[in-house]
Amino acid sequence: MQPALHANIPVRVKNSYNPSAPGSLIDNVGNPSRMVTAITCKRNITLMDITSLQMLGAYGFLGAVFADFEKNKVSVDVLASSEVSISVTLDKKQKENDIEKLRDDLSNFAEVELHRDRAILTLITDVSRSSDVLATVFATFSMHGIQVEMMSQGASKVNISFIIRDDQIDDAILKLHACLFEGKCDVAIIEDGHIV
Protein backbone atom coordinates (compact mmCIF):
# COMPACT_ATOMS: atom_id res chain seq x y z
CA MET A 1 0.00 0.00 0.00
CA GLN A 2 2.75 2.46 0.97
CA PRO A 3 4.57 2.34 -2.42
CA ALA A 4 1.30 3.11 -4.22
CA LEU A 5 0.55 6.04 -1.93
CA HIS A 6 4.11 7.40 -2.25
CA ALA A 7 3.76 7.25 -6.05
CA ASN A 8 0.34 8.94 -5.80
CA ILE A 9 -1.42 5.85 -7.20
CA PRO A 10 -4.91 5.41 -5.73
CA VAL A 11 -5.89 1.92 -4.54
CA ARG A 12 -9.48 0.68 -4.55
CA VAL A 13 -10.34 -1.94 -1.92
CA LYS A 14 -13.33 -4.11 -2.82
CA ASN A 15 -15.49 -6.51 -0.84
CA SER A 16 -15.24 -10.01 -2.33
CA TYR A 17 -18.60 -10.88 -0.72
CA ASN A 18 -20.23 -7.89 -2.43
CA PRO A 19 -18.31 -7.23 -5.67
CA SER A 20 -20.93 -4.82 -7.04
CA ALA A 21 -20.32 -2.40 -4.14
CA PRO A 22 -18.05 0.54 -5.00
CA GLY A 23 -15.53 -0.33 -2.28
CA SER A 24 -13.17 2.19 -0.73
CA LEU A 25 -10.70 4.40 -2.52
CA ILE A 26 -7.45 4.95 -0.67
CA ASP A 27 -5.40 7.89 -1.90
CA ASN A 28 -3.32 10.82 -0.69
CA VAL A 29 -6.39 13.10 -0.54
CA GLY A 30 -8.75 11.00 1.58
CA ASN A 31 -12.30 12.07 2.32
CA PRO A 32 -12.15 15.19 4.51
CA SER A 33 -15.90 15.09 5.10
CA ARG A 34 -15.58 11.82 7.06
CA MET A 35 -14.52 11.76 10.70
CA VAL A 36 -13.45 8.11 10.37
CA THR A 37 -12.00 6.50 7.28
CA ALA A 38 -11.90 2.87 8.44
CA ILE A 39 -13.02 0.47 11.16
CA THR A 40 -10.96 -2.65 11.81
CA CYS A 41 -11.05 -5.36 14.44
CA LYS A 42 -9.01 -8.18 15.86
CA ARG A 43 -10.91 -10.89 17.70
CA ASN A 44 -10.01 -13.42 20.36
CA ILE A 45 -7.29 -11.47 22.09
CA THR A 46 -6.32 -11.46 25.76
CA LEU A 47 -6.18 -8.30 27.86
CA MET A 48 -3.52 -8.32 30.60
CA ASP A 49 -3.74 -5.80 33.44
CA ILE A 50 -0.54 -5.33 35.47
CA THR A 51 -0.89 -3.30 38.66
CA SER A 52 1.73 -2.40 41.26
CA LEU A 53 2.05 0.38 43.81
CA GLN A 54 5.83 -0.07 43.38
CA MET A 55 5.38 1.72 40.07
CA LEU A 56 4.30 4.98 41.73
CA GLY A 57 7.14 7.49 41.38
CA ALA A 58 9.64 4.75 40.53
CA TYR A 59 11.93 4.40 37.56
CA GLY A 60 12.85 1.12 35.92
CA PHE A 61 9.43 -0.46 36.47
CA LEU A 62 8.49 -0.47 32.79
CA GLY A 63 11.92 -1.85 31.94
CA ALA A 64 11.41 -4.73 34.39
CA VAL A 65 7.95 -5.48 33.01
CA PHE A 66 9.08 -5.53 29.41
CA ALA A 67 12.22 -7.51 30.24
CA ASP A 68 9.84 -10.27 31.41
CA PHE A 69 7.88 -9.97 28.16
CA GLU A 70 11.12 -10.39 26.21
CA LYS A 71 12.30 -13.29 28.38
CA ASN A 72 9.03 -15.15 27.78
CA LYS A 73 8.84 -14.19 24.08
CA VAL A 74 5.41 -12.58 24.45
CA SER A 75 4.69 -9.63 22.20
CA VAL A 76 2.39 -6.71 22.95
CA ASP A 77 -0.15 -5.38 20.48
CA VAL A 78 -1.92 -2.44 22.18
CA LEU A 79 -0.69 -0.72 25.35
CA ALA A 80 -2.07 1.81 27.85
CA SER A 81 -0.46 2.88 31.10
CA SER A 82 -1.02 5.05 34.15
CA GLU A 83 0.96 5.76 37.32
CA VAL A 84 0.38 2.34 38.86
CA SER A 85 -0.85 0.11 36.04
CA ILE A 86 -0.12 -1.14 32.57
CA SER A 87 -2.70 -2.78 30.33
CA VAL A 88 -1.65 -4.67 27.22
CA THR A 89 -3.30 -6.89 24.66
CA LEU A 90 -1.77 -10.21 23.71
CA ASP A 91 -2.35 -11.62 20.26
CA LYS A 92 -4.12 -14.97 19.92
CA LYS A 93 -0.95 -16.38 18.30
CA GLN A 94 0.86 -16.25 21.65
CA LYS A 95 1.50 -19.63 23.26
CA GLU A 96 -0.60 -20.17 26.37
CA ASN A 97 2.37 -21.66 28.22
CA ASP A 98 4.44 -18.51 27.51
CA ILE A 99 1.63 -16.28 28.80
CA GLU A 100 1.37 -18.29 32.02
CA LYS A 101 5.16 -18.14 32.57
CA LEU A 102 5.02 -14.38 31.99
CA ARG A 103 2.17 -14.06 34.47
CA ASP A 104 4.20 -15.97 37.08
CA ASP A 105 7.27 -13.76 36.52
CA LEU A 106 5.28 -10.53 36.71
CA SER A 107 3.52 -11.75 39.87
CA ASN A 108 6.83 -11.35 41.74
CA PHE A 109 6.29 -7.57 41.79
CA ALA A 110 2.77 -6.88 40.49
CA GLU A 111 -0.80 -8.11 40.49
CA VAL A 112 -1.67 -9.60 37.11
CA GLU A 113 -5.16 -10.20 35.73
CA LEU A 114 -5.93 -11.87 32.43
CA HIS A 115 -9.18 -11.15 30.62
CA ARG A 116 -9.81 -13.55 27.77
CA ASP A 117 -12.28 -13.33 24.88
CA ARG A 118 -11.65 -9.67 24.16
CA ALA A 119 -11.45 -7.80 20.86
CA ILE A 120 -9.64 -4.74 19.56
CA LEU A 121 -11.76 -2.28 17.59
CA THR A 122 -9.62 0.31 15.82
CA LEU A 123 -10.76 3.47 14.09
CA ILE A 124 -8.62 5.24 11.51
CA THR A 125 -9.38 8.92 11.83
CA ASP A 126 -8.21 12.45 11.18
CA VAL A 127 -6.02 13.62 14.08
CA SER A 128 -7.66 17.03 14.11
CA ARG A 129 -11.07 15.44 14.71
CA SER A 130 -10.19 12.87 17.37
CA SER A 131 -12.17 14.64 20.12
CA ASP A 132 -15.31 14.64 17.95
CA VAL A 133 -14.76 10.98 17.07
CA LEU A 134 -14.35 10.00 20.72
CA ALA A 135 -17.48 11.91 21.77
CA THR A 136 -19.56 10.20 19.06
CA VAL A 137 -18.10 6.74 19.71
CA PHE A 138 -18.57 6.87 23.47
CA ALA A 139 -22.15 8.14 23.10
CA THR A 140 -22.86 5.23 20.72
CA PHE A 141 -21.23 2.68 23.01
CA SER A 142 -23.05 4.05 26.04
CA MET A 143 -26.43 3.94 24.32
CA HIS A 144 -25.93 0.28 23.36
CA GLY A 145 -24.31 -1.00 26.56
CA ILE A 146 -20.90 -1.59 25.00
CA GLN A 147 -18.29 -1.33 27.74
CA VAL A 148 -14.78 -0.14 26.85
CA GLU A 149 -12.20 -1.90 29.02
CA MET A 150 -9.14 -0.14 27.62
CA MET A 151 -8.38 2.57 25.09
CA SER A 152 -5.21 3.60 23.31
CA GLN A 153 -4.34 6.22 20.71
CA GLY A 154 -1.29 5.58 18.55
CA ALA A 155 1.65 7.96 18.48
CA SER A 156 0.63 9.06 14.99
CA LYS A 157 -2.77 10.06 16.48
CA VAL A 158 -4.40 8.49 13.40
CA ASN A 159 -5.61 5.28 15.02
CA ILE A 160 -7.71 4.94 18.15
CA SER A 161 -8.17 1.45 19.60
CA PHE A 162 -10.84 0.26 22.02
CA ILE A 163 -10.72 -3.06 23.86
CA ILE A 164 -14.16 -4.57 24.36
CA ARG A 165 -15.61 -8.02 25.01
CA ASP A 166 -15.52 -10.33 22.00
CA ASP A 167 -19.26 -10.93 22.25
CA GLN A 168 -19.89 -7.19 21.70
CA ILE A 169 -17.56 -6.59 18.73
CA ASP A 170 -20.11 -7.26 15.96
CA ASP A 171 -22.68 -4.94 17.52
CA ALA A 172 -20.03 -2.26 18.07
CA ILE A 173 -18.87 -2.40 14.44
CA LEU A 174 -22.43 -2.35 13.07
CA LYS A 175 -23.49 0.58 15.27
CA LEU A 176 -20.37 2.63 14.48
CA HIS A 177 -20.54 1.84 10.76
CA ALA A 178 -24.19 2.92 10.62
CA CYS A 179 -23.35 6.13 12.47
CA LEU A 180 -20.07 7.08 10.82
CA PHE A 181 -20.57 5.82 7.25
CA GLU A 182 -24.29 5.38 6.58
CA GLY A 183 -25.73 8.50 8.21
CA LYS A 184 -27.93 6.33 10.48
CA CYS A 185 -26.66 7.49 13.84
CA ASP A 186 -28.91 7.05 16.84
CA VAL A 187 -26.87 9.52 18.91
CA ALA A 188 -25.96 13.13 18.25
CA ILE A 189 -22.83 13.43 16.15
CA ILE A 190 -20.29 15.96 17.36
CA GLU A 191 -18.45 17.94 14.68
CA ASP A 192 -16.12 20.81 15.46
CA GLY A 193 -17.42 20.74 19.04
CA HIS A 194 -21.06 21.20 17.95
CA ILE A 195 -23.95 18.72 17.89
CA VAL A 196 -25.16 18.09 14.34
Side-chain angles (χ1 to χ4, degrees), residues 132-144:
D132 295 342
V133 169
L134 288 170
T136 302
V137 168
F138 278 114
T140 300
F141 284 173
S142 179
M143 175 168 272
H144 297 286

Side-chain angles (χ1 to χ4, degrees), residues 43-54:
R43 300 168 192 271
N44 195 27
I45 59 105
T46 298
L47 172 62
M48 178 182 276
D49 291 327
I50 306 160
T51 307
S52 175
L53 292 178
Q54 294 176 23

Side-chain angles (χ1 to χ4, degrees), residues 54-142:
Q54 294 176 23
M55 189 173 164
L56 187 61
Y59 60 89
F61 181 80
L62 287 174
V65 167
F66 288 107
D68 281 343
F69 273 85
E70 181 179 16
K71 175 179 139 186
N72 290 288
K73 297 179 176 31
V74 175
S75 63
V76 169
D77 192 357
V78 178
L79 176 138
S81 67
S82 69
E83 283 186 307
V84 295
S85 67
I86 305 167
S87 295
V88 297
T89 62
L90 309 175
D91 194 278
K92 59 188 167 191
K93 297 174 188 165
Q94 305 292 327
K95 294 178 183 170
E96 190 60 37
N97 192 39
D98 292 341
I99 293 172
E100 286 306 320
K101 283 194 244 174
L102 171 62
R103 182 183 200 171
D104 289 344
D105 287 347
L106 292 170
S107 293
N108 290 323
F109 55 88
E111 291 181 29
V112 180
E113 291 182 28
L114 293 175
H115 307 278
R116 309 224 185 256
D117 302 318
R118 299 303 189 261
I120 304 169
L121 186 149
T122 300
L123 303 177
I124 309 303
T125 185
D126 177 354
V127 63
S128 67
R129 301 178 78 184
S130 61
S131 293
D132 295 342
V133 169
L134 288 170
T136 302
V137 168
F138 278 114
T140 300
F141 284 173
S142 179

Side-chain angles (χ1 to χ4, degrees), residues 19-53:
S20 62
S24 298
L25 185 65
I26 300 171
D27 59 20
N28 286 335
V29 177
N31 185 345
S33 66
R34 282 201 172 144
M35 283 197 298
V36 171
T37 55
I39 302 172
T40 67
C41 78
K42 189 183 286 189
R43 300 168 192 271
N44 195 27
I45 59 105
T46 298
L47 172 62
M48 178 182 276
D49 291 327
I50 306 160
T51 307
S52 175
L53 292 178

